[in-house]
Amino acid sequence: LLLGRIHLVWPVVGRYQAESLFTRAAQFDPGNPEPLYYLGQVGLALGSDDGEEVARRGLVPVLAINPDYRDGWRLWLGLYRGDAERRTVVAALERHAGRLWNADYWRAQLLFELRRYPDASVLLDDVIRRRPDDPGPRAWLTRTLFLAGKDAEGAASYRAARDSAAADTGQVLFNQVRGAASPAERQAYGTVP
C-alpha cells in the first residue's frame, strides 16, 4: 500500500505501477477497502475512459465492502454511469440491504435512475421509515411517484418533504427545484441561513 501510494503521486508511469501494487494488495487482503480505494484514486488520476474503468474496478468493490468508506460513493458519482454501471452498483449495495440506511438510500436513487420506479418506491418507503425526519428520501420518493403516474401520492410526499425542509442538510429539495428557480431566487436562497 505504501509503495503504491508513493507511485500514485508520480506522473503517469508511476500511476500504472501504483495500479499493479494496489491490485496485488487487494488480493492479499480481500476484505480491506483501502487498497481498492487507492485503486480508484489511480483511475481518477489517470482520467479518460481507461482511467474511469480503473476507478470503477476499485470503487465498486469498496461500496460492496463498506459503502461508508471515506468518500467512495461521492467519487463513484463523479464517474460516467450508464445502466450497466448502475446495475453493478445496485448489486454491490444490495449486500447491505436493510442494515445501512444510506446504502439503501443510494440504491433507491440508482433504481430510480434505472426507471425501476416500483422497486425504488418500496426501498424509499423503508428508508423513510428508518429516517422519518430526513426530507431527502421523501424528495426522491416524490419524483419516483410522479414519474410512476401516482400524482396524488407524489403531491402528498412532496408536502411531507417540504414540511421538514429545515432538516435538508443535503439540499436535495433545493437541487430538485433549482432548475425552476430564477437567478435572483437562487441568489436569495444562498444568502438565507
Side-chain angles (χ1 to χ4, degrees):
L1 274 172
L2 182 56
L3 187 56
R5 289 177 67 188
I6 291 168
H7 281 283
L8 176 58
V9 298
W10 285 2
V12 175
V13 175
R15 293 178 182 149
Y16 285 107
Q17 183 64 31
E19 175 188 5
S20 175
L21 290 164
F22 292 137
T23 300
R24 288 178 56 205
Q27 291 168 347
F28 289 137
D29 192 3
N32 184 358
E34 188 168 9
L36 296 163
Y37 176 83
Y38 281 109
L39 181 60
Q41 294 288 331
V42 169
L44 294 172
L46 289 171
S48 76
D49 292 345
D50 291 339
E52 285 208 359
E53 183 56 38
V54 172
R56 274 189 214 90
R57 261 193 304 130
L59 295 174
V60 172
V62 166
L63 295 173
I65 294 168
N66 179 359
D68 292 324
Y69 193 77
R70 298 190 185 192
D71 56 348
W73 171 252
R74 185 187 61 76
L75 294 176
W76 182 82
L77 283 177
L79 301 173
Y80 167 80
R81 58 186 188 273
D83 287 352
E85 291 81 11
R86 288 180 180 103
R87 284 190 295 273
T88 300
V89 173
V90 164
L93 293 173
E94 202 160 27
R95 296 177 61 182
H96 308 283
R99 291 186 298 117
L100 298 174
W101 80 270
N102 56 336
D104 287 340
Y105 182 32
W106 298 336
R107 190 162 48 101
Q109 291 172 33
L110 295 175
L111 290 170
F112 170 87
E113 290 177 5
L114 287 165
R115 296 160 304 285
R116 290 175 51 189
Y117 304 129
D119 295 331
S121 291
V122 168
L123 199 49
L124 287 164
D125 281 336
D126 183 56
V127 170
I128 291 166
R129 180 189 56 75
R130 290 186 271 165
R131 302 253 324 214
D133 297 329
D134 188 341
R138 288 185 191 280
W140 277 95
L141 180 61
T142 298
R143 292 175 69 188
T144 303
L145 292 169
F146 279 134
L147 286 172
K150 299 180 178 183
D151 294 349
E153 292 176 48
S157 177
Y158 181 71
R159 282 190 297 278
R162 191 187 60 214
D163 289 346
S164 58
D168 189 17
T169 58
Q171 296 192 344
V172 177
L173 289 169
F174 179 70
N175 287 336
Q176 288 185 352
V177 300
R178 181 174 47 198
S182 70
E185 289 169 331
R186 286 192 297 272
Q187 186 177 15
Y189 177 82
T191 64
V192 176

